[in-house]
Amino acid sequence: LIPLLRQMCWVSPMIRSKLVQRLCWKKCSPNLVLELAVCLAPLESSLPFLNDSTLDSISPDALRPLPPESQLQQLLDLHPSPQLSRLLRRVAVASDGGGAVCDVVVLVD
């Protein structure tokens, strides 16, 4: 599903715009939303769902498996989000006591 949506977003700005408007942490799998956010980050000037207050209520386990570190870095560089940074820090601490994901999040803070 993700590869198909990724290709559609690259090809059609209209589909990309509708996807950004409909993405929601509560209605979709948080892992799926994060994967799509990584995909959309370089294409969109704004990803409002990254600053949604519901991010604070998401379980760190719900984001696993995480996208690659470089993609998370790009996402947070292009679309800084304190809520997402806090959640990624919780994921990192829960999984390995910090590690690379925590290093990415610290760079954004």
Side-chain angles (χ1 to χ4, degrees):
L1 180 64
I2 296 291
L4 177 62
L5 282 172
R6 187 178 294 134
Q7 288 298 327
M8 289 172 35
C9 287
W10 278 98
V11 172
S12 173
M14 184 186 311
I15 290 173
R16 186 171 64 234
S17 175
K18 292 204 180 278
L19 182 62
V20 168
Q21 291 171 3
R22 293 181 180 201
L23 274 178
C24 173
W25 296 99
K26 284 188 173 186
K27 294 180 182 177
C28 301
S29 161
N31 177 267
L32 176 64
V33 175
L34 183 60
E35 288 283 337
L36 290 172
V38 163
C39 171
L40 294 167
L43 304 174
E44 287 293 311
S45 61
S46 174
L47 298 175
F49 59 89
L50 291 181
N51 293 309
D52 192 334
S53 62
T54 59
L55 273 168
D56 292 329
S57 65
I58 294 175
S59 162
D61 291 334
L63 291 183
R64 290 191 186 122
L66 288 173
E69 178 185 343
S70 61
Q71 292 178 352
L72 289 173
Q73 182 67 55
Q74 181 182 38
L75 172 64
L76 293 172
D77 285 346
L78 295 172
H79 303 279
S81 167
Q83 294 91 342
L84 182 57
S85 293
R86 279 193 303 273
L87 180 56
L88 288 173
R89 189 175 297 114
R90 288 179 23 223
V91 172
V93 169
S95 64
D96 67 359
V101 173
C102 203
D103 293 341
V104 169
V105 174
V106 169
L107 290 174
V108 174
D109 285 347

